[in-house]
Amino acid sequence: KVDVCSTGVIFFELLFGKRPFGHGKTQETLLKEAVANGSPFALVIPAAPKTAVSTDAKQFMTRLLTEDREQRPDVIEAYYDAYIRPTNKTGRGSTAGAANTAPGGGTS
């Protein structure tokens, strides 16, 4: 589930052009702030990015960056997320021809 979180970080950076946690801060500073506050990092999604970001994309990213590892999707769950594999057969993420193929070539 760590890889899924890392994917969420990369996805966030691609969409918003900055890190989701502590943009412009060192890891040492982030850790000190988290310890001082007694709480983990809070995910804040920018309200008005330079380009339009769909609500579905924001929700998917939020799921990937869920702090609680038990609540975060695993790789297979993320792969089959409705944002990545919408149920319709048109447009982005069409599953035509690969509907039941899991990562690594297996079938579901």
Side-chain angles (χ1 to χ4, degrees), residues 37-102:
N37 294 332
S39 62
F41 313 115
L43 177 63
V44 177
I45 297 178
K50 295 177 184 177
T51 59
V53 177
S54 72
T55 300
D56 290 341
K58 291 176 185 177
Q59 290 172 346
F60 176 66
M61 185 173 31
T62 300
R63 286 190 293 276
L64 296 181
L65 293 172
T66 298
E67 175 192 348
D68 183 349
R69 186 179 310 172
E70 296 304 316
Q71 297 299 314
R72 189 181 314 140
D74 62 26
V75 173
I76 300 299
E77 291 167 334
Y79 179 80
Y80 284 108
D81 191 274
Y83 177 71
I84 299 296
R85 300 206 167 276
T87 55
N88 65 10
K89 299 295 181 191
T90 60
R92 176 196 51 76
S94 175
T95 58
N100 292 323
T101 304

